Amino acid sequence: MKNKIAIFCLFLLAMVNGGMVQANEKPRKVWNEVVSGYNRSASIMQVTKVEMYDDRTVLTLHVDYPSGHWIKMANDTYLKAGDKSYPVKGATVIELGKEFWMPETNEVDFEMTFEPLPSDCRRIDFVEPDGWQINNIRSAEFLPQDIDDTYWRDESTGDWLIGFTSECVIYAGKFWDIVSQTEKKDTYQLMVSDGAVTLPVKVGKMKKGIRHIEIAGLPPVACSPITTEGMPDYPRKDTRRGFKDNGFRLGDQITFVGWLKDMPEEMRQKGNEFEISYESIFSYDSENAYAEMDSLGRFSITMPLPNASQIFLDWGRTTVSTVLEPGETYFFLFDFTTGQKLFMGKNVRMQNELIAHPHSWDNYRVDMSERGKADAMKVWAKTDSIRASQMQELKELEVKHPTLSQRYLDYVEGYYQNIQANSMLQARFYTPNHKLPKEYMDFAGKEFWQKRIQPYTIYRDFFNFLTDYMEQLSQDRGTSGADGVAQVMLRLDKEGQVSFTDAEKEVIRQYPAMVKQFQEAINKAPDEEKQAMVDAFNNGELVKSFEALLTRYLDDVNNVFPFMSVESVTEVADSLGCDKTLRDILIARELCERIDNIRKPLPESMVKLVEEEITLPLAYHRVMGMHNKYLELQKRRTSQLGNVNSANLKSGDEVKDMSDGEKILRKLIEPYKGKIILLDIWGTWCGPCKEALSHSQEEYERLKPYDMVFLYLANRSNEDSWKNVINEYNVMGENVVHYNLPETQQSAVEHFLKVSSFPTYKLIDEEGNILDVNADPRNLEGLARLIDSMKN
């Protein structure tokens, strides 16, 4: 009976995808190392193997996609070879035409069977009509039959030496026009020119996968064609360590030349500029440089680079993250037809290895449902597990590819260190009261802070970690939130800038403790009780007294409070033993953030601090550049705003004696009854708010046909900062109205509207009804359609 069962199992195994075959049948051809051209979903799906049988073709596919999501392969999926299509016959693991939900591993391998391809087939396209498409699938073992659209590397060094295309030749990091080209018995002679120099190029016959290429009369170089998507392994180990560190010298730059070759139309629609971006060390934003591409997709740019940095190359098109170092010249090619991404240059080995052997991007993020109750120790264990797995994969990769450079291995190991650091410190936003255990923080200090890698720009995640780490360390120093405001008020009184009675000072002293007690209580309360608790807190006598004092001296507090964090940063940096370079960067980073938040020049005390404390030229230049920008803007503001003050900036006098939020809002919108009103609640301290405001004129132009009113209410915004932002982004126009109400009135309006985030947008119809719709002008076309539906 056992034998019968075994035979039956073999019989079932032989019935693959609808075709009965012999169990020991071998394919007539196998593509084990599969490469492809443009893949619309390269980060999700890859073809890993192609097997050709007499009666079928089998593709093995690998999908990497988050669990909880589904994929689907249509019943009419097909392969295309030449001008003929080969329909799908079946699939394993997934069921054609039905949703397949990804497992917890986020990965799945499956096979799809198609009608048999011809024996001489060298290239195929995979087409799934609902969206999946992979072009130019082929075997890396196929050698080119001529030199058209081929790229060749020096066999002795492993470097990319030259590339031949129908448009030009790529050599020495330049584009060379083809002046002439002749072919004779598989040998080629070319004359190429860069506009200033003309060079002869001789290409010998292909023998055992090698051509000898002679350029400009130099000795012939034995070259092999690059057939893989990235550079093949270099022939010898490179044991150099470390990255170029110029000390953040002011004025250093790189030259970057590149080609997005044969871009498909959907890639061209992303714009005619190539974007190079990196994380700014002085802000939470990216520094971006743009190079205009010619009709073929070629470009060249020279751009500043403060130090060796993690760089993102036109991420929406190339998905390449790499490291660039100041003083270098780079040539980068992305050939969409072949799918190849290659670097050419004197010092680009690590860049090529990062493309050929991409590192894992896995990190751990606490689920939003765990906000306020995440277990820090479990987060630590999870990030440890992920990093251990990544390091094991790196060790296995080193064994399989023993000539990988030491710089590549060091960089990837450091990358895994930094993403764990970032993940662990981000967890503080999800733990109770945003606190992390001492053991947890001690580990972060020893493993991430003490083992930090220089230069500090080499990993984007380093400054994200460092910001969270320092804020966590300074959390109990009383330099932020209610503690910080109270400290400022008492300091101003001590210095004689304001005057409080003894009773008022006691209110100020008690307020932070009451806030802390309230925060602890509301964190534990059920959601349905929280609003009532907030109302009771805001209506308490001590809170009202404190807010009245704060409102009276708000401008004085706002001149000092934003910069108390600078003192905290300096104290924490000194306690950590920061080197002078990092200390200067951290102080400059905090000052730049403060200037960006308040949109006004530094007070004299902070200018003095910059002069005395910051010696790093790049840091000094950045801070004083921002300071001088807003100093000049403030000088020009009066003359620039001039007559628009009365038209666009309202005093709020008509509501000065009102305290009910709904009544205040009704009074503000009363003059505009009969028109649609877009209400924008924002703050000068809010980055997303200011980013949205920077597109105001575009918004007004698009919505001009509707004759709307644009009403802006500013939250906790200093008068000068408020006006500076309005002026800087030209948030002005015929139907534009701005209010900067006292904090208690603004809070009352926000409470009525249930504002929980910034910016908040509300659409109010012609009758004054506040509509429950998504009125976000950052989706202008969606907002226009919404208003159209109201009109109709």
Side-chain angles (χ1 to χ4, degrees), residues 3-24 56 91-92 111:
N3 289 338
K4 287 184 178 179
I5 292 173
I7 291 170
F8 180 66
C9 289
L10 287 173
F11 176 78
L12 287 177
L13 287 171
M15 297 184 64
V16 180
N17 299 314
M20 188 181 296
V21 297
Q22 297 297 317
N24 61 354
R56 69 194 186 282
T92 64
E111 295 179 349

Side-chain angles (χ1 to χ4, degrees), residues 382-438:
K382 183 66 175 178
T383 62
D384 261 350
S385 174
I386 292 173
R387 185 176 170 194
S389 175
Q390 291 167 331
M391 288 304 300
Q392 181 59 37
E393 290 177 3
L394 182 61
K395 290 177 181 177
E396 292 171 2
L397 183 69
E398 185 180 5
V399 171
K400 189 175 179 181
H401 302 274
T403 64
L404 278 170
S405 71
Q406 192 61 48
R407 294 214 314 158
Y408 169 87
L409 297 171
D410 289 346
Y411 179 77
V412 175
E413 182 175 350
Y415 183 84
Y416 295 150
Q417 171 188 315
N418 276 275
I419 59 174
Q420 183 185 15
N422 189 22
S423 294
M424 284 188 65
L425 267 295
Q426 279 285 297
R428 73 192 183 96
F429 295 109
Y430 298 86
T431 56
N433 299 319
H434 292 181
K435 288 188 177 292
L436 296 172
K438 182 178 184 303

Side-chain angles (χ1 to χ4, degrees), residues 325-389:
E325 299 174 289
E328 297 286 345
T329 296
Y330 299 92
F331 184 99
F332 171 71
L333 170 78
F334 182 6
D335 187 326
F336 284 87
T337 298
T338 65
Q340 291 172 298
K341 300 174 184 177
L342 304 170
F343 276 95
M344 177 184 285
K346 293 180 180 178
N347 191 23
V348 297
R349 173 167 177 160
M350 187 182 69
Q351 287 77 11
N352 277 320
E353 289 175 333
L354 284 170
I355 289 175
H357 306 287
H359 56 68
S360 166
W361 291 80
D362 287 349
N363 58 7
Y364 182 68
R365 288 289 182 265
V366 183
D367 191 87
M368 288 294 290
S369 63
E370 290 293 298
R371 185 180 289 275
K373 55 186 179 181
D375 186 327
M377 304 308 283
K378 289 182 179 179
V379 172
W380 180 2
K382 183 66 175 178
T383 62
D384 261 350
S385 174
I386 292 173
R387 185 176 170 194
S389 175

Side-chain angles (χ1 to χ4, degrees), residues 48-59:
T48 59
K49 191 175 185 179
V50 177
E51 299 170 279
M52 298 182 189
Y53 296 85
D54 289 335
D55 64 342
R56 69 194 186 282
T57 297
V58 179
L59 264 64

Side-chain angles (χ1 to χ4, degrees), residues 9-283:
C9 289
L10 287 173
F11 176 78
L12 287 177
L13 287 171
M15 297 184 64
V16 180
N17 299 314
M20 188 181 296
V21 297
Q22 297 297 317
N24 61 354
E25 181 191 7
K26 293 184 179 180
R28 49 184 163 79
K29 189 179 293 185
V30 179
W31 299 352
N32 283 308
E33 187 174 3
V34 179
V35 292
S36 66
Y38 175 56
N39 179 351
R40 188 177 294 163
S41 305
S43 62
I44 300 174
M45 186 173 74
Q46 300 282 345
V47 177
T48 59
K49 191 175 185 179
V50 177
E51 299 170 279
M52 298 182 189
Y53 296 85
D54 289 335
D55 64 342
R56 69 194 186 282
T57 297
V58 179
L59 264 64
T60 302
L61 300 105
H62 176 81
V63 171
D64 191 337
Y65 202 50
S67 62
H69 294 73
W70 56 265
I71 61 170
K72 184 168 68 173
M73 294 293 162
N75 288 301
D76 51 353
T77 301
Y78 62 92
L79 300 179
K80 187 175 182 181
D83 57 359
K84 189 174 179 182
S85 298
Y86 299 83
V88 67
K89 297 172 66 177
T92 64
V93 181
I94 69 170
E95 188 174 352
L96 293 176
K98 294 190 176 181
E99 296 172 359
F100 173 83
W101 291 86
M102 293 296 295
E104 290 186 4
T105 59
N106 301 328
E107 296 180 305
V108 65
D109 292 284
F110 60 96
E111 295 179 349
M112 295 186 72
T113 303
F114 298 83
E115 292 290 341
L117 291 165
S119 298
D120 60 351
C121 180
R122 290 173 62 91
R123 300 171 186 270
I124 55 175
D125 295 334
F126 173 92
V127 182
E128 195 270 348
D130 290 337
W132 305 97
Q133 184 166 338
I134 308 176
N135 296 331
N136 198 12
I137 301 167
R138 61 202 187 280
S139 172
E141 296 176 357
F142 292 159
L143 297 177
Q145 298 172 330
D146 49 39
I147 65 169
D148 290 346
D149 291 316
T150 60
Y151 312 109
W152 300 80
R153 72 173 193 151
D154 184 330
E155 276 288 290
S156 64
T157 66
D159 293 324
W160 177 22
L161 178 69
I162 194 167
F164 301 99
T165 76
S166 57
E167 295 91 356
C168 61
V169 168
I170 304 167
Y171 172 67
K174 296 180 181 180
F175 299 108
W176 299 76
D177 293 329
I178 301 172
V179 178
S180 65
Q181 177 175 333
T182 59
E183 175 187 356
K184 185 178 181 182
K185 296 181 179 180
D186 196 33
T187 64
Y188 303 83
Q189 292 196 22
L190 301 88
M191 293 296 294
V192 300
S193 173
D194 68 350
V197 178
T198 300
L199 299 178
V201 179
K202 296 180 181 179
V203 183
K205 287 184 178 182
M206 176 81 86
K207 294 180 180 179
K208 297 182 178 181
I210 299 293
R211 290 185 186 271
H212 284 81
I213 301 177
E214 178 185 317
I215 304 171
L218 297 172
V221 179
C223 296
S224 58
I226 303 169
T227 58
T228 48
E229 291 179 357
M231 188 70 77
D233 287 357
Y234 283 74
R236 288 177 295 280
K237 181 80 174 179
D238 181 355
T239 58
R240 290 179 302 151
R241 308 192 81 142
F243 306 93
K244 184 180 291 187
D245 189 345
N246 66 349
F248 296 94
R249 185 169 53 230
L250 186 63
D252 271 10
Q253 56 189 22
I254 61 167
T255 297
F256 198 91
V257 184
W259 191 2
L260 299 188
K261 185 177 181 294
D262 300 335
M263 272 189 290
E265 184 57 32
E266 63 186 276
M267 290 291 116
R268 287 193 173 278
Q269 289 177 359
K270 293 180 180 290
N272 198 42
E273 290 182 321
F274 186 91
E275 179 188 58
I276 302 176
S277 63
Y278 58 90
E279 189 88 355
S280 170
I281 60 172
F282 299 116
S283 72

Side-chain angles (χ1 to χ4, degrees), residues 717-754:
S717 296
N718 170 271
E719 188 81 2
D720 284 339
S721 301
W722 175 59
K723 292 177 180 178
N724 281 345
V725 171
I726 293 169
N727 191 40
E728 181 179 2
Y729 294 132
N730 193 23
V731 193
M732 295 177 283
E734 186 176 345
N735 294 328
V736 176
V737 180
H738 290 275
Y739 283 95
N740 193 7
L741 299 172
E743 186 171 355
T744 52
Q745 289 187 316
Q746 180 69 21
S747 296
V749 173
E750 291 174 9
H751 178 63
F752 164 64
L753 293 173
K754 295 182 172 59

Side-chain angles (χ1 to χ4, degrees), residues 379-533:
V379 172
W380 180 2
K382 183 66 175 178
T383 62
D384 261 350
S385 174
I386 292 173
R387 185 176 170 194
S389 175
Q390 291 167 331
M391 288 304 300
Q392 181 59 37
E393 290 177 3
L394 182 61
K395 290 177 181 177
E396 292 171 2
L397 183 69
E398 185 180 5
V399 171
K400 189 175 179 181
H401 302 274
T403 64
L404 278 170
S405 71
Q406 192 61 48
R407 294 214 314 158
Y408 169 87
L409 297 171
D410 289 346
Y411 179 77
V412 175
E413 182 175 350
Y415 183 84
Y416 295 150
Q417 171 188 315
N418 276 275
I419 59 174
Q420 183 185 15
N422 189 22
S423 294
M424 284 188 65
L425 267 295
Q426 279 285 297
R428 73 192 183 96
F429 295 109
Y430 298 86
T431 56
N433 299 319
H434 292 181
K435 288 188 177 292
L436 296 172
K438 182 178 184 303
E439 181 184 0
Y440 191 103
M441 288 297 290
D442 287 346
F443 173 80
K446 292 175 183 177
E447 184 65 17
F448 308 132
W449 165 251
Q450 293 180 16
K451 294 181 181 180
R452 62 193 184 277
I453 300 169
Q454 297 191 47
Y456 299 116
T457 45
I458 204 74
Y459 300 105
R460 177 184 62 176
D461 286 315
F462 172 71
F463 274 104
N464 297 334
F465 152 74
L466 189 57
T467 299
D468 289 336
Y469 181 61
M470 295 185 70
E471 286 182 359
Q472 187 68 25
L473 290 175
S474 64
Q475 184 171 282
D476 297 326
R477 290 176 178 264
T479 54
S480 61
D483 282 321
V485 174
Q487 281 189 34
V488 170
M489 294 171 76
L490 294 174
R491 177 196 289 188
L492 290 170
D493 178 81
K494 185 177 181 179
E495 293 174 353
Q497 297 183 50
V498 301
S499 179
F500 295 118
T501 66
D502 289 343
E504 289 171 339
K505 290 177 188 176
E506 190 59 28
V507 167
I508 295 169
R509 292 190 186 100
Q510 291 181 21
Y511 180 74
M514 177 173 281
V515 170
K516 183 178 181 181
Q517 184 179 8
F518 169 72
Q519 288 173 336
E520 291 174 352
I522 203 166
N523 283 335
K524 298 175 183 177
D527 289 344
E528 61 272 16
E529 297 178 11
K530 289 183 178 180
Q531 188 58 57
M533 292 175 66

